[in-house]
Amino acid sequence: MEQAEALPPHQRPSIRELGRRTEAAETPFRARNVEDIQRRIATRDLLPSVAPPRAAAPAAPAEPPLVTVARTGNRLLVAAACDAARALGLHPGMAATQARALVPGLDVCDADPRADAALLDALALYAARRWTPRAAVAGADGLFLDLSGVAHLFGGEERMCARILRFCARAGYRARIAVAGTPGAAHALARFGPAPLSLCPPGGEPDALAPLPLAALRLEEDALATARRLGLERIGDLVAMPRGPLQRRFGRQTLTRLDQALGRAAEPIDPVVPEEAPRAELRFAEPIATPEAIAQAMAELMARLIDDLAKAGLAARILTLAGDRVDGAAQSITIGTARATRDSRHLLRLLGMKIETIEPGYGLDALRLIAVRTEPLGPETVAGALTGEPPSADLAPLVDRLAGRIGARHLFRLSAVESDVPERSVRRTGPLGAVHPWPDYPRPVRLLSPPERVENVVALLPDLPPRRFTWRGRAYRIARADGPERIFGEWWRRTAEAEAVRDYFQVEDEGGERFWLYRRGDGVDVATGDLSWYLHGVFA
Amino acid sequence: MVPSPARSERLEALKAEVRAIESAGVAGTRECLPFGVESIDARLAGGGLACAALHEVAADRPGLSDDAAATLFLAAVAARRCAANGTVLWALARRDLFAPGLAMAGLPPDNVLYAECGRDEDVLAVMEEGLRHGGLDAVIGEVRKVPMAATRRLQLAAEEGGTMALMLKRWRRQEEDPLAAPSAAVTRWRVGCAPSQPLPVAGIGRPRWRLDLARQRGGEPHHWIMEGPDAKGCLALPDGAEHRPNPARAAA
């Protein structure tokens, strides 16, 4: 700060530029480790924007060293190497063939810069939601977080950074953080600083940067080459030089970078903006408490929200009505719809079904209606308008109302599954989803789950239907029967089913009652079952 | 006593008046769903099951077999009522319904929407909601005990939505007839298993049911032996049944 005041007025950085900035950045070589882990857990939905996964285990020592390779022109170069590989002398930039020759058993996989960038974007978005409203992606391997006015919320800069580091460790990344007054200094310290977590005191940037190599300044390659030729290695060497010759030798860009790092020139960051769910809000001069008033406010909110959604071409799938009570307690109700809709009457009716679950207490100060989940909704063709087919009725409103009454998971259609085992042949699908029919085999109307054991079965082995059996204490004499229908166990599910066989018989007793019985085992080979009999279903 | 012509004329006029009062609010004539079996349709007032009305079905005896027969009877009626791209809402009370079995009676999976309800009140509420929606072809509910007022509500909802309401009344106790309770249903049926026709070869033939029309509004009860539904949900008369004496009348 004193340093800034010592500058002539036109060179002083703006107040905003003096705001503290921080940066979490993986160092170039450690970033390889990121990729390494990413490759292993990407399939587990590691999107940090949702929740950090627990799998933070550092690479097991037994695993072979890993490098990623990228094609540069005609050559295949190592793009990144894990710690183990670096310990063996591999480094980014060497030829892939050389790396393979040096380390037998090396694990080589292709670099995926696009996936890396997407992951970094997701991290930036998470940071923007979780830590600071201003977060941006820095280069290919870092993030800028603007800490102005947020560090105290997390217990100060140091504790906040430690917390971010812990988060990164949990998510499976090794990260380095530097806090400094300018993005340039934070960038340099994070990548070339002495410790994973370095805090640069206000105004201490020149001292902190002085021992760092010139590469930390984000200089261009030919400027770096010139500096090497001239014997300049540290940033301190550059700072000590007069500005005029510096610009002549290295170009304007170098000077700008130096000024940006030292806070003499502005460097605005371009923050990512998380998308926000469409919402409408009402604040009341007098708190409201009656259901009628809430319903009226709800209608007003709905009109506004539907208007916004219609302009954006969206429609609601999940709506939340949240209210702030006078005593600070939050109240909310949530509804879902089976299909995206902008029908305000229908949505209001769904909300109205739950309105009594709001406890207004001494009154509600404010009400918010938030479209938590939306989907695009455009005009649709009406089936059968020209061909003369009868249009099928729209069931979505009915489904929503029933789901509001008995719960969405209790409303379903049943669809076929490719399995011959009866209890596995049925699967629940969504109430408006497509379903598949079953093959035409005789099947009972009621299926017992689990099948019930029947006793005193008289049947001739191996494949004749039973003559009589006892079920639930009553004896049945079989008059007619059909079968067997043999169903084999599904060995791909459980090893116990590898040999299992069920022989199903459709039987009718003397009174006309029809049952579906099965015998475990084929009656010849003992391994297929123990020849016990079960009743699995009842025909009509 | 033989009723005099004048008296029967007056009776007819009164009946017509009552019918007019009963069907007040229902536009036009009542649409009916015939069984397609002459001997049943001739006995039903209106020549079939009224489409916008409540019908009750119960198993003849407690036990799973007659219950399954009653279920399949409902499924067959709903299948005949349901258009190709129509939907039947089935409010379940228990989890033992096996959908592939319903497909046997002509009710394929894409025509059925299931609602799993824990209690009878939920079943009734779901049925009423479905009936009032008007876009469904039929609504089926499995209940144990229904108060008279609830059946009236369902009947009114069915008339309002023009949807057929089918109610499976299940046995609660051994000795309590589910159809004994008063109800506003237009027809009330009992279905039970009967021994099927022996085949000349080993195997099992088409199932047979004892179909009992226990009560109907504007008509007489009756009793049939029928063969179970085919793949389109059509019942059929057994061979030679026309010449057999009616078992109900023979017993009486």
Side-chain angles (χ1 to χ4, degrees), chain A residues 256-279:
Chain A
T256 313
R257 286 295 189 202
L258 188 64
D259 288 349
Q260 281 174 346
L262 296 179
R264 293 182 203 141
E267 187 189 0
I269 64 171
D270 188 13
V272 294
V273 181
E275 208 171 305
E276 202 168 67
R279 61 179 66 207

Side-chain angles (χ1 to χ4, degrees), chain B residues 22 30-35 40-41 43-58 73-74 77 151 155 158-159 164-169 178-179 181-191 211-222 224:
Chain B
E22 273 183 349
R30 283 169 30 159
E31 193 191 347
C32 281
L33 175 76
F35 277 92
I40 299 184
D41 294 337
R43 296 279 178 174
L44 287 172
L49 290 175
C51 284
L54 172 67
H55 306 277
E56 281 183 4
V57 180
F73 176 73
L74 282 180
V77 171
T151 58
Q155 170 65 26
E159 283 175 15
M164 185 181 274
L166 301 166
M167 189 186 276
L168 175 65
K169 291 190 98 171
L179 293 189
S183 160
V186 172
T187 60
R188 308 172 78 181
W189 301 80
R190 265 196 203 93
V191 189
L211 192 60
D212 194 358
L213 176 57
R215 198 171 285 191
Q216 65 167 322
R217 207 188 285 172
E220 296 292 315
H222 199 71
W224 299 268

